Amino acid sequence: MKDLFSRIQAKSHDTDFSLTVSYLEIYNETIRDLLHPESGPLALREINGVAAPAGLSTKEPSSANDVVEWIMLRNSNRNVNATEANATSSRSHAVLSVTVSQKPRAGGLTENHSSASLSIIDLAGSERASVTKNKGDRLIEGANINRSLLALGNCINALCDPRKRGHVPYRDSKLTRLLKQSLGGNCKTVMIVCVSPSSQHYDETHNTLQYANRAKEIK
């Protein structure tokens, strides 16, 4: 964010910029606006093949510190609970989107606008009931987390397999519908995974590395 603001400052003499930030979570297949959590669940709407939550609020930061403060403050609104595997387990996926638009100040009869989005997605960790020993609400949350991660994995597999190029199952979950442009669109994608050196977590580490390694094959 500091780099982004320094680049904007360097070009501000001849270019007008617009910068907006949104922050949401997907909890049990329900989308919540973390900037305004009191607004209730949001419905997904598709415009020109791009899915977006209806009524999602945005803020305009004036510095990189604004963005960091909003993330730290609004993380307190996320659904977090303890399991046998993790004392502060994220029970939801979170998506932070930063959208930058620019246009030249000396515009003629036609103005050229360009825009781009940076999406930072924090995926909840996959759940193994035998390890987390979840029951009740935690078990339902874990099932929904695994379902959306499986849908994401299926989309990645379809994008990697030239025989399946005709159909990518984005509509299998709200997570994959939101990430459509971040996976198969005009984008650059980086996946960072959390693994453990402990032999107790061998299966989770192996599966996670396979998941991320598959994502590298997307063209």
Side-chain angles (χ1 to χ4, degrees):
M1 292 308 301
K2 287 180 178 177
D3 183 55
L4 179 60
F5 274 98
S6 65
R7 287 168 181 252
I8 288 174
Q9 184 66 33
K11 296 184 67 177
S12 59
H13 63 284
D14 60 1
T15 307
D16 285 326
F17 289 92
S18 170
L19 186 66
T20 59
V21 171
S22 66
Y23 196 26
L24 62 84
E25 77 166 351
I26 305 172
Y27 172 70
N28 282 348
E29 282 297 291
T30 300
I31 298 175
R32 293 177 64 238
D33 185 346
L34 288 174
L35 294 180
H36 289 284
E38 66 281 354
S39 61
L42 305 179
L44 271 182
R45 299 279 186 268
E46 274 201 29
I47 302 172
N48 298 325
V50 178
L56 180 65
S57 63
T58 59
K59 285 191 173 187
E60 296 185 9
S62 56
S63 68
N65 288 337
D66 285 347
V67 181
V68 175
E69 284 179 14
W70 295 338
I71 294 171
M72 299 297 288
L73 177 63
R74 299 312 175 185
N75 273 347
S76 61
N77 294 323
R78 284 188 67 182
N79 283 280
V80 176
N81 279 292
T83 70
E84 288 290 322
N86 192 342
T88 55
S89 175
S90 297
R91 313 309 293 164
S92 67
H93 310 296
V95 181
L96 174 77
S97 293
V98 181
T99 302
V100 186
S101 298
Q102 64 178 31
K103 63 178 181 179
R105 285 191 171 178
L109 294 176
T110 59
E111 288 187 340
N112 292 320
H113 292 70
S114 59
S115 64
S117 291
L118 168 68
S119 295
I120 303 173
I121 300 101
D122 174 29
L123 297 173
S126 58
E127 298 273 308
R128 293 178 68 194
S130 61
V131 176
T132 56
K133 295 180 172 59
N134 287 339
K135 296 178 181 178
D137 288 344
R138 300 294 83 78
L139 188 62
I140 294 171
E141 291 166 355
N144 279 307
I145 289 169
N146 286 345
R147 191 175 294 117
S148 57
L149 290 175
L150 177 62
L152 177 58
N154 288 338
C155 287
I156 291 171
N157 289 338
L159 288 164
C160 295
D161 189 345
R163 294 170 298 176
K164 296 181 180 179
R165 283 288 165 84
H167 174 66
V168 180
Y170 291 116
R171 301 188 70 84
D172 284 359
S173 78
K174 290 183 178 177
L175 175 68
T176 49
R177 287 181 69 188
L178 277 175
L179 299 189
K180 182 178 180 179
Q181 295 302 311
S182 298
L183 287 170
N186 177 22
C187 64
K188 293 183 179 179
T189 304
V190 176
M191 183 179 287
I192 302 171
V193 295
C194 179
V195 296
S196 169
S198 169
S199 59
Q200 288 182 320
H201 300 293
Y202 174 85
D203 289 339
E204 288 92 336
T205 294
H206 184 253
N207 290 338
T208 300
L209 289 174
Q210 281 189 317
Y211 197 96
N213 193 55
R214 189 69 171 152
K216 291 197 303 182
E217 302 301 317
I218 296 176
K219 296 292 186 292

